[in-house]
């Protein structure tokens, strides 16, 4: 029998090897964003399912003062320097699939240091997923295409989210009204089967702000879908 010389080809062996990417995430929110990440990693449709994604919310126990955009970026930079050195030591190249990623997920809210946070992240090649006025806009886009300004007020987005048909019932069939803390919790029924809709609406919002340098003026805006696809390697959920 003829020998399959391809089996001994190092390049082929490398292509077939199961790869592993580590993704470290720093979130402004203590409940919603980590809950969302858990949902996506457990229920998402992977683009490269033969490879492994290991995602960790790095600042789960961080104090509130470190969860504002600029301190969040500063902490992420420290982590990025650490994991980048470790990856290089392990022989992983920046253009390899396994090259680690560090992401910051933060909102506009009423923070005044947004442009500075973006500038620092860009200089250090950190990944940022940004929502204006807040993460609740991304959740809202799973239900409707909202294009009007919120005036930077997150409560407006949260209140509109609560009003969506069936949203409250995902917490239980008898629930008709929700507390602020309940709204922060991410329930699978709020998201499943709605990703492509939210992505399409979010991309439309991004096009409206193309060319505008001041992120404070991107109202409304969210690019959480980039984190889903580029960070978590998920194309749908």
């Amino acid at each position: 029998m003829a020998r399959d010389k391809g089996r001994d080809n190092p390049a082929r062996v490398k292509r077939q090897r199961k790869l592993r990417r580590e993704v470290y995430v720093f979130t402004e929110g203590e409940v919603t964003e980590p809950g969302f990440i858990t949902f996506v990693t457990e229920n998402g449709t992977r683009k490269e399912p033969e490879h492994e994604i290991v995602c960790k919310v790095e600042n789960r126990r961080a104090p509130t003062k470190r969860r504002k955009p600029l301190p969040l970026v500063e902490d992420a930079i420290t982590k990025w320097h650490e994991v980048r050195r470790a990856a290089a030591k392990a022989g992983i190249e920046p253009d390899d699939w396994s090259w680690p990623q560090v992401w910051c997920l933060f909102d506009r809210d009423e923070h005044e240091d947004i442009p500075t946070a973006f500038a620092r992240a860009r200089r250090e090649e950190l990944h940022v997923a940004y929502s204006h006025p807040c993460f609740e806009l991304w959740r809202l886009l799973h239900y409707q295409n909202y294009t009007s300004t919120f005036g930077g007020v997150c409560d407006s987005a949260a209140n509109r989210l609560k009003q969506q048909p069936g949203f409250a019932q995902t917490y239980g069939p008898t629930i008709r009204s929700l507390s602020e803390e309940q709204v922060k919790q991410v329930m699978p029924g709020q998201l499943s089967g709605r990703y492509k809709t939210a992505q399409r609406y979010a991309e439309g919002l991004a096009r409206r702000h193309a060319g505008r340098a001041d992120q404070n003026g991107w109202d409304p805006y969210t690019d959480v879908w980039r984190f889903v696809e580029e960070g978590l390697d998920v194309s749908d959920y």
Side-chain angles (χ1 to χ4, degrees):
M1 179 180 293
R3 181 182 181 187
D4 182 2
K5 296 181 179 180
R7 289 184 303 174
D8 298 326
N9 187 327
R12 179 175 176 179
V13 172
K14 183 177 181 179
R15 286 196 300 271
Q16 293 179 335
R17 187 177 69 242
K18 183 179 179 66
L19 302 178
R20 181 177 187 266
R21 178 194 296 161
E22 296 179 348
V23 179
Y24 300 88
V25 190
F26 289 75
T27 68
E28 181 180 348
E30 298 182 49
V31 177
T32 306
E33 289 91 327
F36 173 75
I37 292 168
T38 297
F39 167 79
V40 175
T41 54
E42 292 180 353
N43 298 278
T45 300
R46 291 282 311 284
K47 292 187 288 184
E48 301 281 353
E50 68 276 15
H51 300 323
E52 182 183 6
I53 291 285
V54 179
C55 182
K56 180 181 179 182
V57 178
E58 189 68 16
N59 65 327
R60 280 191 183 275
R61 295 177 177 81
T64 301
K65 65 181 181 179
R66 299 303 300 176
R67 288 182 173 271
K68 295 181 180 180
L70 189 53
L72 199 72
V73 167
E74 291 171 345
D75 290 347
I77 289 172
T78 300
K79 186 65 180 181
W80 176 226
H81 289 174
E82 172 191 329
V83 300
R84 189 170 57 189
R85 285 194 299 267
K89 186 175 181 179
I92 303 173
E93 300 290 340
D95 58 350
D96 289 348
W97 195 93
S98 296
W99 185 249
Q101 296 183 11
V102 177
W103 283 80
C104 291
L105 274 58
F106 58 79
D107 304 337
R108 169 65 177 92
D109 283 332
E110 298 180 358
H111 304 304
E112 299 300 329
D113 53 8
I114 296 295
T116 304
F118 263 95
R120 292 288 306 279
R122 188 178 298 113
R123 185 164 62 247
E124 295 288 342
E125 299 182 336
L126 290 178
H127 298 276
V128 171
Y130 173 61
S131 298
H132 191 322
C134 57
F135 193 85
E136 277 61 39
L137 170 64
W138 169 246
R139 299 172 71 193
L140 177 62
L141 294 181
H142 287 70
Y143 291 88
Q144 70 170 107
N145 186 18
Y146 192 87
T147 59
S148 300
T149 178
F150 286 104
V153 180
C154 185
D155 286 349
S156 298
N159 288 335
R160 185 168 290 273
L161 180 62
K162 288 192 296 183
Q163 295 167 11
Q164 298 306 308
F167 180 85
Q169 282 66 47
T170 59
Y171 295 88
T174 62
I175 294 179
R176 294 295 180 269
S177 60
L178 296 171
S179 68
E180 180 180 344
E181 292 305 313
Q182 285 174 314
V183 173
K184 290 181 180 180
Q185 300 172 11
V186 174
M187 308 297 287
Q190 301 164 357
L191 302 171
S192 296
R194 301 175 185 267
Y195 172 72
K196 292 297 186 182
T197 295
Q199 179 197 29
R200 184 173 70 254
Y201 291 158
E203 288 182 316
L205 294 179
R207 286 192 293 271
R208 296 175 60 194
H209 302 297
R212 299 182 61 182
D214 184 6
Q215 298 86 5
N216 287 327
W218 299 356
D219 183 10
Y221 175 92
T222 181
D223 60 359
V224 172
W225 64 271
R226 289 199 312 106
F227 166 65
V228 172
E229 301 215 356
E230 299 171 19
L232 301 182
D233 190 52
V234 165
S235 60
D236 203 357
Y237 50 65

